[in-house]
Amino acid sequence: NNQPDAGTDGNTTVCDSSIASIDLFSLITGEDAGGTWTRLTGTGGTFNAAAGTFVPTGATTSTFKYLLSATAPCVADESIATVNVNNQPDAGTDGNTTVCDSSTASIDLYSLITGEDAGGTWTRLTGTGGTFNAAAGTFVPTGATTSTFRYSLSATAPCVADESIATVNLNNQPD
């Protein structure tokens, strides 16, 4: 009887926003045909055991077993395909507000953008004056001009960084 060979374990890393189907056979090497796929760990995504494919959209890191049964005295063999899933950062949706240039109220820049993940950094892109606190994500517009601020989130490859823009439009206080 032939001893089955399920091949050598393999892996790949993708972003959780990926909609591309992963051929699990492409992750393992040297395998004999005729085995079955089973998901061992992970949640989300779309796993097709019959086709040996996985679409990672919305998934967590997942492992899949490729199993070849055997006829005695040979023993079954298995290999593991791992799909490491990194989170795609979301800096949210751009937003804005309009205030008077004499305003002394602190503006929470986070309140101008919506749906953002935590952990990003603020940078002033345009405008002058006022008091910008990058660490706190706040801006006091007293004496400022219209200003834009970028909220940036870095990413782990193959995911990509993301950013959103908060704009503070300033109207002149009539004198």
Side-chain angles (χ1 to χ4, degrees):
N1 293 332
N2 289 330
Q3 172 60 46
D5 184 355
T8 304
D9 297 353
N11 65 75
T12 190
T13 301
V14 298
C15 198
D16 67 351
S17 60
S18 175
I19 59 172
S21 180
I22 298 167
D23 178 4
L24 297 173
F25 287 104
S26 71
L27 302 183
I28 58 177
T29 55
E31 73 278 358
D32 294 337
T36 57
W37 284 102
T38 306
R39 187 175 193 169
L40 300 176
T41 65
T43 59
T46 305
F47 170 52
N48 182 331
T53 60
F54 179 60
V55 178
T57 307
T60 61
T61 292
S62 302
T63 56
F64 303 89
K65 176 173 67 176
Y66 181 66
L67 176 66
L68 284 165
S69 57
T71 303
C74 298
V75 294
D77 193 29
E78 66 182 48
S79 61
I80 303 295
T82 302
V83 179
N84 298 300
V85 180
N86 292 339
N87 291 325
Q88 172 59 51
D90 185 355
T93 304
D94 297 354
N96 65 74
T97 190
T98 301
V99 297
C100 189
D101 67 353
S102 63
S103 174
T104 59
S106 179
I107 298 169
D108 178 3
L109 297 174
Y110 289 102
S111 71
L112 302 183
I113 58 176
T114 55
E116 74 280 357
D117 294 337
T121 57
W122 285 101
T123 307
R124 187 175 193 167
L125 299 177
T126 66
T128 60
T131 305
F132 169 52
N133 182 330
T138 59
F139 179 60
V140 178
T142 307
T145 61
T146 292
S147 301
T148 56
F149 303 88
R150 176 178 55 219
Y151 181 67
S152 303
L153 285 165
S154 59
T156 303
C159 298
V160 295
D162 194 28
E163 63 183 41
S164 61
I165 303 296
T167 303
V168 178
N169 298 301
L170 288 143
N171 289 337
N172 292 329
Q173 172 64 44
D175 185 1

